[in-house]
């Protein structure tokens, strides 16, 4: 009887000891656990490249619309507008999406197909065609389209303000800015920036240009010029 009692006591203890060994968690086993490492910036860049490859024109439209809308909001904020004119923001985004975004992306691709490569002759031709022909069309679209679309978005008026919005002095102002900004940019872009990425880099440069476009179409530009001239005179 004592033997059976001893066996009954030893067996549970042995089982508990074995289970305890199986549950042992050591430092070495913890160090052996690894978690997958992910390069989020690299993944984002790869995803963007794929989107541009699969949806070249829609991505160009989206980028231009977002950046132009942001530039217009910044312009109105700089002027301490009591309330943002969202109709004007929408008009800027619309024209930027269709002209600076979609149409410009198609034109850039056509220029690259017509004058491929990075030779000096090809770069000069692409830069001058873009500056003289395409930029004039885009600037005219901003001057005529933004006032007309602003009226349509705000009150639904028919398109009568577009022709009145285009004036020669304002066109000359935007053309001067275009020459100063985009001839140097396009010279570098046609030399170093891959064609698929050019709509994005162009939209980023255009966002700065769109601040001036917003100032012209909102009537702030002359006051900005006078203020800059006054500051220059003081210095």
């Amino acid at each position: 009887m004592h033997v059976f009692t001893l066996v009954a006591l030893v067996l549970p203890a042995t089982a508990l000891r074995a289970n305890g060994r199986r549950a042992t968690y050591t430092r070495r086993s913890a160090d052996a656990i690894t978690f997958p490492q992910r390069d989020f910036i690299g993944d984002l860049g790869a995803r963007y490249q794929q989107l541009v490859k699969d949806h070249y024109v829609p991505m160009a439209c989206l980028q231009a619309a977002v950046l132009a809308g942001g530039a217009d909001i910044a312009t109105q904020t700089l002027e301490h507008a009591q309330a943002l004119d969202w109709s004007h923001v929408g008009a800027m985004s619309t024209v930027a999406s269709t002209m600076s975004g979609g149409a410009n992306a198609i034109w850039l691709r056509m220029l690259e197909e017509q004058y491929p490569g990075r030779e000096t002759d090809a770069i000069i031709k692409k830069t001058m065609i873009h500056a003289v022909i395409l930029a004039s069309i885009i600037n005219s679209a901003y001057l005529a389209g933004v006032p007309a679309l602003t009226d349509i978005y705000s009150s639904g008026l028919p398109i009568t303000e577009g022709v009145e919005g285009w004036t020669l002095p304002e066109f000359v102002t935007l053309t001067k800015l275009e020459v100063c900004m985009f001839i140097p940019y396009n010279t570098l872009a046609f030399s170093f920036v891959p064609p698929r990425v050019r709509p994005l880099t162009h939209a980023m440069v255009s966002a700065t240009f769109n601040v001036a476009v917003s100032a012209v179409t909102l009537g702030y530009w002359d006051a900005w010029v006078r203020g800059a001239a006054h500051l220059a005179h003081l210095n």
Side-chain angles (χ1 to χ4, degrees):
M1 182 173 178
H2 292 290
V3 174
F4 289 111
T5 304
L6 181 60
V7 171
L9 292 174
V10 170
L11 285 177
T14 305
L16 289 174
R17 198 178 302 119
N19 290 337
R21 281 197 299 269
R22 283 196 297 269
T24 300
Y25 189 77
T26 64
R27 176 68 178 177
R28 181 176 298 176
S29 62
D31 293 339
I33 298 175
T34 58
F35 295 94
Q37 300 278 334
R38 294 195 63 181
D39 183 3
F40 289 100
I41 296 178
D43 290 347
L44 185 63
R47 179 59 178 164
Y48 172 77
Q49 290 289 343
Q50 189 63 41
L51 284 172
V52 171
K53 181 180 179 181
D54 297 339
H55 310 285
Y56 176 71
V57 174
M59 283 294 293
C61 293
L62 178 62
Q63 292 162 174
V66 172
L67 291 172
D72 193 65
I73 291 173
T75 302
Q76 295 188 46
T77 303
L78 287 172
E79 279 296 307
H80 307 289
Q82 294 182 350
L84 287 176
D85 186 350
W86 291 106
S87 298
H88 195 273
V89 174
M92 283 290 297
S93 295
T94 302
V95 176
S97 176
T98 54
M99 300 304 295
S100 296
N104 186 64
I106 295 172
W107 289 331
L108 288 174
R109 186 162 56 185
M110 293 174 62
L111 281 175
E112 193 62 37
E113 293 173 354
Q114 185 68 29
Y115 306 103
R118 300 180 179 180
E119 291 76 13
T120 302
D121 181 60
I123 292 172
I124 291 175
K125 288 179 180 178
K126 288 184 283 191
T127 300
M128 295 311 298
I129 290 173
H130 192 280
V132 175
I133 301 176
L134 305 184
S136 298
I137 296 172
I138 293 173
N139 290 340
S140 296
Y142 276 113
L143 291 174
V146 171
L149 289 173
T150 300
D151 286 341
I152 291 173
Y153 291 160
S154 61
S155 57
L157 292 177
I159 302 177
T160 57
E161 297 295 326
V163 177
E164 299 177 5
W166 193 99
T167 63
L168 183 59
E170 292 180 346
F171 178 77
V172 171
T173 297
L174 292 186
T175 301
K176 290 178 181 178
L177 291 172
E178 181 86 27
V179 168
C180 293
M181 291 180 63
F182 282 96
I183 286 184
Y185 161 74
N186 283 326
T187 302
L188 294 174
F190 288 131
S191 300
F192 302 108
V193 180
R196 283 182 188 168
V197 186
R198 283 176 196 160
L200 174 61
T201 57
H202 188 277
M204 295 173 68
V205 176
S206 295
T208 305
F209 179 74
N210 284 335
V211 171
V213 175
S214 296
V216 169
T217 55
L218 286 166
Y220 301 155
W221 182 256
D222 290 338
W224 285 14
V225 171
R226 288 193 298 269
H230 180 68
L231 289 175
H233 180 72
L234 292 178
N235 293 332

